[in-house]
Amino acid sequence: MDEEGEFYLCPGGSQEHGETFHETLQRECMEEIGQEVEIGELLFIREYIGKNHEHASSDFALHQVEYYFSCQLKRKQAEISNGTNPDSDQIGMEWLPIQQLFRYRLYPKDMRTYIIKHVQGEKTPIYLGDLN
């Protein structure tokens, strides 16, 4: 939550030394949603160059590369809630209906279009560039 209200992020975080992408994603899902996931294909690669975006005053020197994978819960009927070590600003966890993503402040905002297109079976690029 910020001064504009609630916003949403996909589970994820920093890769620890020696971890593979899949190990990082498994750990972050346990920490943030408390569930193991089956990791599917790599869907998107997104860069974030802070000086180019709305939070440039605080993110000016930040440049990160993010990898987004298709995932399924290992336990389909599992209850989802904050995991074992949620992010310090995380206030909860909830599923968002994909066809209604534009009703929510999901970051990166521009990725909502690509997620919906992917789910509808449309071809999408993997590399999205410096997207916010």
Side-chain angles (χ1 to χ4, degrees), residues 33 35-38 71-80 95:
I33 67 171
Q35 296 296 323
E36 289 185 84
V37 294
E38 294 176 13
C71 294
Q72 299 272 334
L73 294 178
K74 283 193 175 181
R75 294 184 8 234
K76 304 290 187 226
Q77 302 302 319
E79 183 176 321
I80 303 300
W95 292 112

Side-chain angles (χ1 to χ4, degrees), residues 1-131:
M1 185 172 285
D2 63 12
E3 60 278 345
E4 296 177 44
E6 288 185 358
F7 64 91
Y8 298 85
L9 303 169
C10 294
S14 297
Q15 190 174 21
E16 293 179 359
H17 182 77
E19 277 185 327
T20 66
F21 286 148
H22 284 195
E23 290 167 340
T24 300
L25 183 53
Q26 286 289 358
R27 178 180 49 76
E28 289 290 343
C29 284
M30 286 303 296
E31 289 177 0
E32 295 176 10
I33 67 171
Q35 296 296 323
E36 289 185 84
V37 294
E38 294 176 13
I39 301 170
E41 68 179 308
L42 173 65
L43 298 179
F44 307 115
I45 299 171
R46 175 241 187 175
E47 287 193 78
Y48 177 77
I49 302 171
K51 69 179 183 179
N52 298 335
H53 298 289
E54 64 200 70
H55 301 291
S57 60
S58 60
D59 289 350
F60 187 83
L62 184 63
H63 184 176
Q64 61 191 33
V65 180
E66 300 171 350
Y67 300 85
Y68 291 80
F69 290 85
S70 173
C71 294
Q72 299 272 334
L73 294 178
K74 283 193 175 181
R75 294 184 8 234
K76 304 290 187 226
Q77 302 302 319
E79 183 176 321
I80 303 300
S81 62
N82 283 0
T84 59
N85 187 21
D87 287 345
S88 59
D89 295 326
Q90 182 176 337
I91 60 171
M93 202 320 276
E94 68 182 278
W95 292 112
L96 301 179
I98 289 183
Q99 298 302 332
Q100 298 173 14
L101 285 184
F102 284 99
R103 295 182 182 180
Y104 300 91
R105 278 180 62 207
L106 172 68
Y107 286 99
K109 291 186 260 183
D110 294 337
M111 190 178 290
R112 296 174 296 185
T113 298
Y114 295 105
I115 293 169
I116 291 169
K117 284 182 177 185
H118 173 76
V119 168
Q120 293 174 339
E122 295 181 42
K123 182 129 177 87
T124 57
I126 292 174
Y127 177 70
L128 303 179
D130 182 19
L131 183 73

